[in-house]
Amino acid sequence: ADAPARVSGLEPGTPLGWPSQRQQTNFSIETGNTVVFYSDGLVENRRRGVDAGLEELVAVAADAPPEVVGDPERLVDFLVDRMLAGYEQVDDVTVLALHVPPRPG
């Protein structure tokens, strides 16, 4: 919650909901934090490579107001609107946001 937006350093695992022999990745989310899962269509297209797209995603997420970050539905809309603006989209885009609210004080 107090750290800047970033791409996780964990090794990517099997896509969500996809049965596979690939190694599964376990993680925990601390209270007050938000995690965003996305498909490559959000960050990569014919004019933007994946590395540039990941950098742009981090910058866009960092610009999200706190009330957007704390509301998964609004965050998904915010990220999709900004990441796809100005690009012709031909790939599918999947985005899932999970927010763990802070504990009541």
Side-chain angles (χ1 to χ4, degrees), residues 12-64:
T14 303
L16 292 175
W18 189 267
S20 171
Q21 297 300 318
R22 291 177 58 187
Q23 178 178 342
Q24 302 292 310
T25 301
N26 295 315
F27 62 93
S28 61
I29 305 166
E30 294 182 29
T31 59
N33 286 286
T34 303
V35 175
V36 176
F37 302 93
Y38 52 88
S39 66
D40 63 335
L42 183 67
V43 296
E44 184 178 34
N45 59 49
R46 292 179 183 166
R47 293 182 13 221
R48 176 179 59 202
V50 68
D51 291 335
L54 290 172
E55 288 178 17
E56 186 174 341
L57 178 60
V58 169
V60 167
D63 285 342

Side-chain angles (χ1 to χ4, degrees), residues 51-85:
D51 291 335
L54 290 172
E55 288 178 17
E56 186 174 341
L57 178 60
V58 169
V60 167
D63 285 342
E67 63 273 13
V68 170
V69 173
D71 182 336
E73 185 175 349
R74 288 178 67 191
L75 180 59
V76 167
D77 288 342
F78 182 89
L79 294 173
V80 170
D81 288 347
R82 281 154 184 83
M83 290 299 294
L84 301 185

Side-chain angles (χ1 to χ4, degrees), residues 74-103:
R74 288 178 67 191
L75 180 59
V76 167
D77 288 342
F78 182 89
L79 294 173
V80 170
D81 288 347
R82 281 154 184 83
M83 290 299 294
L84 301 185
Y87 293 102
E88 180 182 330
Q89 192 59 36
V90 295
D91 195 3
D92 64 311
V93 175
T94 304
V95 183
L96 170 68
L98 175 64
H99 177 72
V100 180
R103 291 192 175 109

